[in-house]
């Protein structure tokens, strides 16, 4: 793979602690740091696109993006190539203890816009009202009572619960038939780029087995995520 070429990378926007803008206006996040490191190791210059998963998937398919982060192994998108997982997570529900649960008719459930969890929420709770938005928008709605439940990736969910604003909320004990085990999140590469996929897998393996991935994750998480 030639050094010095641009690598067009897609990341979800405003999804702390994976990818977000901090109070000083600087882009941060576990996946952002990982992407920067990956580009450096590949000898490529990152060209960034931030957006919803729907937007990023369109970019892979129309050729404007080379790879995108945070793509779950299930369900796989047909025609794309997937790396080995770089973290594992499962969905969770967050709400006020004693408040309305997601299985109650008319419950308002917040889900990250464009994520695979939108369809899962509609399947799990057909009588609920599904509200979509960015993670920060949904957290604000939860705090203000605009939604009853936040249905979210547990990495982002625990990060919120550990903040001062999250103290009045907790994880709800809700079973999910499709979420009983952790699911891997991968780098997705556009169709036909088997050379790029092999290079990404090689560098992810090095980061994992050297302990560098764990050391980097400790900037954002207090527990092992893979």
């Amino acid at each position: 793979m030639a050094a010095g070429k641009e690598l067009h990378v897609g990341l979800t926007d405003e999804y702390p602690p994976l990818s977000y803008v901090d109070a000083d206006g600087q882009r941060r996040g576990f996946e952002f740091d990982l992407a920067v490191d990956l580009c450096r190791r590949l000898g490529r210059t990152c060209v960034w696109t931030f957006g919803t998963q729907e937007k990023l998937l369109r970019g892979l398919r129309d050729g404007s993006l080379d790879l995108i982060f945070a793509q779950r192994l299930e369900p796989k998108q047909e025609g794309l190539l997937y790396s080995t997982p770089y973290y594992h997570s499962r969905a969770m529900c967050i709400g006020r203890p004693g408040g309305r649960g997601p299985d109650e008719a008319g419950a308002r459930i917040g889900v990250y816009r464009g994520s695979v969890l939108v369809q899962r929420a509609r399947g799990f709770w057909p009588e609920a009202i599904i509200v979509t938005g960015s993670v920060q928008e949904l957290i604000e709605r939860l705090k203000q009572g605009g939604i009853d439940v936040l249905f979210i990736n547990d990495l982002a969910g625990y990060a919120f619960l550990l903040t001062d604003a999250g103290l009045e909320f907790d994880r709800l004990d809700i079973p999910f038939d499709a979420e009983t085990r952790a699911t891997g999140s991968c780098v997705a590469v556009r169709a036909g780029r088997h050379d790029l996929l092999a290079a990404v897998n090689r560098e992810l393996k090095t980061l994992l087995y050297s302990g560098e991935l764990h050391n980097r994750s400790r900037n954002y998480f207090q527990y092992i995520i893979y």
Side-chain angles (χ1 to χ4, degrees):
M1 185 170 299
K5 291 187 177 181
E6 294 179 341
L7 191 66
H8 294 265
V9 178
L11 289 173
T12 48
D13 196 21
E14 290 309 304
Y15 206 123
L18 300 174
S19 174
Y20 64 99
V21 176
D22 67 15
D24 297 322
Q26 299 298 311
R27 175 65 61 174
R28 296 197 65 217
F30 170 68
E31 287 181 337
F32 178 74
D33 292 351
L34 178 58
V36 170
D37 204 10
L38 189 62
C39 285
R40 178 181 60 80
R41 288 174 171 275
L42 294 173
R44 309 289 289 272
T45 300
C46 282
V47 178
W48 303 105
T49 295
F50 301 99
T52 65
Q53 290 183 2
E54 288 178 334
K55 175 183 176 181
L56 301 181
L57 286 168
R58 286 197 302 270
L60 272 190
R61 292 197 167 95
D62 67 21
S64 61
L65 291 175
D66 296 307
L67 57 83
I68 60 179
F69 281 70
Q71 295 306 298
R72 294 168 70 95
L73 278 173
E74 297 176 2
K76 288 185 176 181
Q77 299 290 324
E78 185 176 354
L80 302 185
L81 306 175
Y82 286 79
S83 75
T84 55
Y86 57 89
Y87 77 80
H88 289 79
S89 65
R90 51 169 55 93
M92 66 187 294
C93 284
I94 295 174
R96 283 188 170 85
R100 177 180 283 183
D103 51 352
E104 297 183 39
R108 297 161 299 176
I109 303 175
V111 191
Y112 178 59
R113 177 191 305 119
S115 74
V116 297
L117 295 183
V118 174
Q119 292 302 319
R120 287 183 172 168
R122 289 175 176 150
F124 292 152
W125 306 294
E127 297 185 358
I129 300 168
I130 305 302
V131 179
T132 63
S134 72
V135 172
Q136 291 302 107
E137 289 170 345
L138 295 173
I139 286 174
E140 287 303 313
R141 290 190 181 191
L142 183 69
K143 288 159 52 178
Q144 296 169 14
I147 59 175
D148 303 298
V149 175
L150 179 59
F151 185 45
I152 192 170
N153 173 302
D154 63 356
L155 271 64
Y158 286 131
F160 165 63
L161 291 175
L162 288 171
T163 66
D164 290 342
L167 292 177
E168 62 185 285
F169 302 94
D170 206 345
R171 178 172 187 160
L172 303 180
D173 186 17
I174 306 293
F176 313 115
D177 292 342
E179 297 289 342
T180 55
R181 59 186 174 83
T183 302
S185 287
C186 309
V187 177
V189 176
R190 62 188 173 95
R193 293 302 310 274
H194 294 278
D195 59 329
L196 179 57
L197 177 67
V200 168
N201 276 331
R202 181 185 67 244
E203 299 306 334
L204 287 176
K205 179 180 178 180
T206 299
L207 286 167
L208 176 61
Y209 292 164
S210 69
E212 292 182 57
L213 185 63
H214 176 62
N215 290 336
R216 188 173 295 285
S217 72
R218 290 175 65 187
N219 294 326
Y220 301 98
F221 312 106
Q222 300 305 310
Y223 49 91
I224 295 174
I225 63 172
Y226 42 83

